[in-house]
Amino acid sequence: MDRLDRKLLNLLQRNAARTNADLADEVGLSPSSCLRRIRKLRRSGIIDRTVAILNAAKTERRLKALVTVELELHGEHHMRRFLDLAVAEEAVSQAYAVTGEVDVFLTLRLRDMEEFDALCDRLFRDQTNVARFNTMMVIRTGKDDTAIRL
Amino acid sequence: MDRLDRKLLNLLQRNAARTNADLADEVGLSPSSCLRRIRKLRRSGIIDRTVAILNAAKTERRLKALVTVELELHGEHHMRRFLDLAVAEEAVSQAYAVTGEVDVFLTLRLRDMEEFDALCDRLFRDQTNVARFNTMMVIRTGKDDTAIRL
DNA sequence: GCCTTCGTGCAATAATATTGCGCCAATGAG
DNA sequence: CTCATTGGCGCAATATTATTGCACGAAGGC
């Protein structure tokens, strides 16, 4: 893991569609060396996968909502159960167990508020062990990076 | 935008490294047709970009923190100023203006708590117009998808 | 019913990835 | 200090994959 590997990773996190020769040129390596490095980074698992990122605005799921959830019962078992429930939802794109005043944090991708309503029914009411939840709708996006700076 | 386009987008959001012939086969098209569709999806902007996703655990920035921020002054101007400040930070990977009890939401990628401390100094103290902030450290990740289900 | 438009598959071609090989620098043992 | 070993490099050949030209057929407008 030297300077060149880091440089490659930074570049690939911004654009993984570039040709190998192009990348090689930018980092100052031959195409073959460059490719071998990238392959090693893949095999080692540092590069988990490469994916297409959609422009959410041109999608039906335009709305982004952030939800904090406080559980009624806090045992490991109950936490796991709620997370499983959340993960199974198509609208849920991130689900974390967190420290602090709340227990779980969710990011939602929503078509409209009706979908949100239906989701609330499934996740936050009845027998789902939720004491309280608080929703923030995203008004403006300042930044939305998938990259991890090395 | 028909069923095949959606199928392609769903596949590419999971793995954009597959060969065109492979994709074509899975959706039931010829390679040429498949490629032309994908190119159109790119040009139309629905596909914004394709990127490498790293395994954060194998990275130096292992810690993920979520921060809600309440501003002192709420004018559009002040909001913009704070967001700009946040966006400029390498550790900030998401920055949103939101509705609800707080004004701004941030996702951080941190090396350690020292980096967090330094970031707090820059973003939350002194003259940055922050009334209050609340940090949640991510304990467990249930889901962390970049995909938007179509 | 005919014409236009659009998307398709096939096959040829162009671009790109991948591999074999010989070379050099760094490292460690004797 | 020297020599063998290891690992990574570039070059050039080869294999894979993307891309394009073309002819065909279905759907919709007139």
Side-chain angles (χ1 to χ4, degrees), chain A residues 30 32-33 36-37 40:
Chain A
S30 71
S32 53
S33 272
R36 277 188 281 251
R37 273 172 184 263
K40 184 180 283 189

Side-chain angles (χ1 to χ4, degrees), chain A residues 67-74 79 82 98 100-106 123-124 128-134:
Chain A
V67 185
T68 59
V69 182
E70 203 174 325
L71 297 182
E72 198 76 63
L73 304 165
H74 293 75
M79 166 63 81
F82 180 75
V98 298
E101 290 170 6
V102 300
D103 301 302
V104 173
F105 175 87
L106 305 175
L123 281 187
F124 305 136
T128 61
N129 183 35
V130 170
R132 241 180 309 283
F133 70 98
N134 177 25

